[in-house]
């Protein structure tokens, strides 16, 4: 497997599973790592064998990122992928740090997405259930606090009303 094939498989596996900025960062990291290893004297085949399967790396990265939030997919900035004929690498190419030499380019990966992302509370997770329990406890606490203040005031008003009505009846 070549460097460009490795990075392309990695990108394909990450696409839709994490934000485009994170995909860019991960691919850029592996691109730089491979370049560094090649400069240290290793062959491309040795580096690829050390790294292993890009699908397994992608699965690990996705699991570490906790995958798509609440079963939604991220809206990615599209990559421009070049064919192998459009790419030509030589030993001098590996000394450059330009990310576009791998065949991937993208417009500002950290720009705000025009799509508004909404988050839904997932009640199938422990933290979703914990949030609901805490919210219910807070509401009950507020009700008890308000009622504990209103009940004495109401009792006093009722007693004052009874006393006034008793004095009116005596006259």
């Amino acid at each position: 497997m070549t460097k460009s094939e490795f990075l392309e498989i990695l990108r394909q596996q990450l696409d839709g599973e994490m934000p485009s900025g994170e995909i860019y960062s991960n691919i850029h990291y592996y691109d730089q790592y491979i370049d560094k290893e090649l400069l240290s004297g290793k062959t491309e085949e040795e580096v690829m064998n050390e790294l292993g399967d890009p699908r397994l790396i992608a699965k690990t990265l996705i699991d570490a990122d906790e995958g798509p939030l609440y079963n939604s997919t991220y809206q990615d900035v599209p990559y421009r992928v070049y064919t192998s004929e459009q790419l030509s690498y030589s030993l001098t190419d590996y000394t450059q740090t330009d990310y576009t030499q791998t065949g991937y380019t993208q417009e500002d990966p950290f720009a705000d997405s025009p799509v508004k992302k909404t988050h839904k509370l997932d009640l199938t997770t422990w933290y979703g259930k914990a949030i609901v329990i805490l919210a219910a406890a807070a509401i009950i606490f507020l009700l008890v606090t308000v009622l504990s203040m209103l009940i004495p005031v109401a009792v006093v008003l009722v007693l004052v009303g009874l006393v006034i009505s008793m004095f009116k009846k005596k006259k």
Side-chain angles (χ1 to χ4, degrees):
M1 177 180 302
T2 66
K3 173 186 171 182
S4 60
E5 291 171 333
F6 176 90
L7 295 174
E8 174 59 22
I9 291 171
L10 183 62
R11 185 198 62 77
Q12 288 174 352
Q13 295 297 309
L14 296 176
D15 191 30
E17 298 295 328
M18 61 177 49
S20 59
E22 288 183 36
I23 294 172
Y24 173 85
S25 295
N26 286 309
I27 291 177
H28 185 71
Y29 169 81
Y30 282 99
D31 180 35
Q32 295 301 307
Y33 176 83
I34 294 167
D35 287 348
K36 186 180 92 176
E37 294 297 308
L38 290 171
L39 287 173
S40 73
K42 294 181 181 177
T43 65
E44 189 173 47
E45 184 177 346
E46 289 173 327
V47 176
M48 294 301 113
N49 287 335
E50 285 177 9
L51 285 173
D53 187 1
R55 291 167 194 86
L56 181 59
I57 292 171
K59 175 77 170 120
T60 304
L61 292 170
I62 292 165
D63 288 347
D65 187 51
E66 296 185 5
L69 294 174
Y70 311 108
N71 299 324
S72 64
T73 57
Y74 291 104
Q75 298 294 322
D76 285 332
V77 177
Y79 283 93
R80 189 168 46 240
V81 179
Y82 295 102
T83 64
S84 58
E85 292 80 31
Q86 292 172 309
L87 300 173
S88 61
Y89 295 104
S90 66
L91 191 54
T92 57
D93 286 336
Y94 294 114
T95 61
Q96 299 174 356
T97 58
D98 183 15
Y99 183 72
T100 59
Q101 79 189 65
T102 62
Y104 307 105
T105 59
Q106 95 184 76
E107 296 73 33
D108 193 7
F110 302 107
D112 291 332
S113 174
V115 178
K116 182 179 179 184
K117 295 179 184 177
T118 59
H119 298 285
K120 296 178 183 173
L121 185 59
D122 187 2
L123 296 178
T124 61
T125 61
W126 70 268
Y127 53 86
K129 293 173 185 172
I131 290 171
V132 169
I133 291 170
L134 288 174
I139 290 170
I140 291 171
F141 176 77
L142 288 173
L143 284 173
V144 168
T145 303
V146 168
L147 288 176
S148 66
M149 290 178 189
L150 290 180
I151 288 176
V153 171
V155 169
V156 169
L157 289 176
V158 168
L159 289 175
V160 168
L162 286 173
V163 170
I164 292 173
S165 68
M166 287 175 33
F167 280 118
K168 284 185 179 180
K169 287 182 184 176
K170 289 184 177 180
K171 291 185 179 186

